Amino acid sequence: MSDIKVLALVGSLRAESINRRIAELAADVAPDGVAVTVFEGLADLPFYNEDIDDAVNTAVDHAPDPVVALRAAAADADAALVVTPEYNGSVPAVIKNAIDWLSRPFGNGALKDKPLAVIGGSLGRFGGVWAHDETRKSFGIAGARVIDVKLSVPFQTLEGKAPADHAELSANVRDVVGKLVAEVS
Ligand SMILES: Cc1cc2nc3c(=O)[nH]c(=O)nc-3n(C[C@H](O)[C@H](O)[C@H](O)COP(=O)(O)O)c2cc1C
């Protein structure tokens, strides 16, 4: 049987991103038979623009190449995991932009009805919970089947450790991935 594929979208583009490390941790702790792959092209997406979104009007998607790559990765995935910090009390622009591209064609986006979980961490004492709640809301409106798991990590709780070296976080991320793939039909 082929692996269950989980597409990971990371909301921070910086090289030393802790959220990226959490997404990589998800790949490491995923159960056998589950492949978690971080999508590498979020920085290449243009801002959403209906004028360049050919999938809205045509059967074949002639949107810009980075958009076609994102939609293809989403179409190929069985589930999605968003790992994001909070920026100014909300969803980082790279994630919101990806949501907008993935929401079209309207009613038939590439993540339509696929299970999706939102986790991540931030410096603030609530761990980015506003961003996580808003990402859930927006991806739900965009057509994904957002599952009810919550993991918003205030970075001070990591006590300076890398995510992979933090036993409780590793267990929590393993739990999230397990619950996510349990939703794959
Ligand atoms: C533009 C910007 C806005 C931010 N706004 C918030 C915020 O609203 N809440 C918060 O907890 N942290 C905020 N932060 C701090 C981030 O939590 C911190 O930069 C974190 O390390 C980002 O995650 P990363 O390590 O994956 O890049 C902000 C950071 C930036 C750069």
Side-chain angles (χ1 to χ4, degrees):
M1 220 174 83
S2 60
D3 279 356
I4 293 175
K5 294 179 214 162
V6 177
L7 176 69
L9 302 174
V10 176
S12 170
L13 300 179
R14 73 186 185 100
E16 299 302 318
S17 162
I18 296 172
N19 284 281
R20 190 185 171 94
R21 297 287 104 79
I22 294 173
E24 291 165 354
L25 171 61
D28 288 345
V29 299
D32 286 348
V34 176
V36 178
T37 306
V38 175
F39 183 73
E40 299 292 355
L42 288 185
D44 302 324
L45 294 174
F47 283 125
Y48 186 85
N49 177 347
E50 279 186 83
D51 289 342
I52 58 172
D53 188 2
D54 288 4
V56 170
N57 300 312
T58 59
V60 179
D61 192 349
H62 297 295
D65 289 348
V67 175
V68 173
L70 174 66
R71 287 174 170 161
D76 190 47
D78 301 295
L81 176 67
V82 182
V83 188
T84 186
E86 179 174 277
Y87 279 180
N88 296 301
S90 191
V91 187
V94 289
I95 291 295
K96 184 58 170 58
N97 195 36
I99 294 172
D100 293 339
W101 281 113
L102 288 168
S103 71
R104 298 295 165 126
F106 179 69
N108 197 26
L111 288 179
K112 181 177 161 58
D113 295 333
K114 292 185 183 180
L116 179 143
V118 180
I119 64 170
S122 272
L123 279 176
R125 66 195 172 106
F126 301 113
V129 69
W130 283 335
H132 302 149
D133 283 347
E134 290 182 13
T135 302
R136 289 185 193 99
K137 178 186 76 173
S138 196
F139 252 125
I141 290 170
R145 182 157 53 86
V146 177
I147 71 162
D148 186 21
V149 294
K150 298 206 164 72
L151 182 58
S152 299
V153 183
F155 285 159
Q156 73 266 22
T157 65
L158 298 180
E159 301 158 324
K161 292 180 186 162
D165 295 333
H166 198 276
E168 186 182 343
L169 178 63
S170 299
N172 288 339
V173 170
R174 184 183 299 113
D175 186 54
V176 165
V177 176
K179 286 177 173 151
L180 178 63
V181 298
E183 293 288 331
V184 173
S185 46

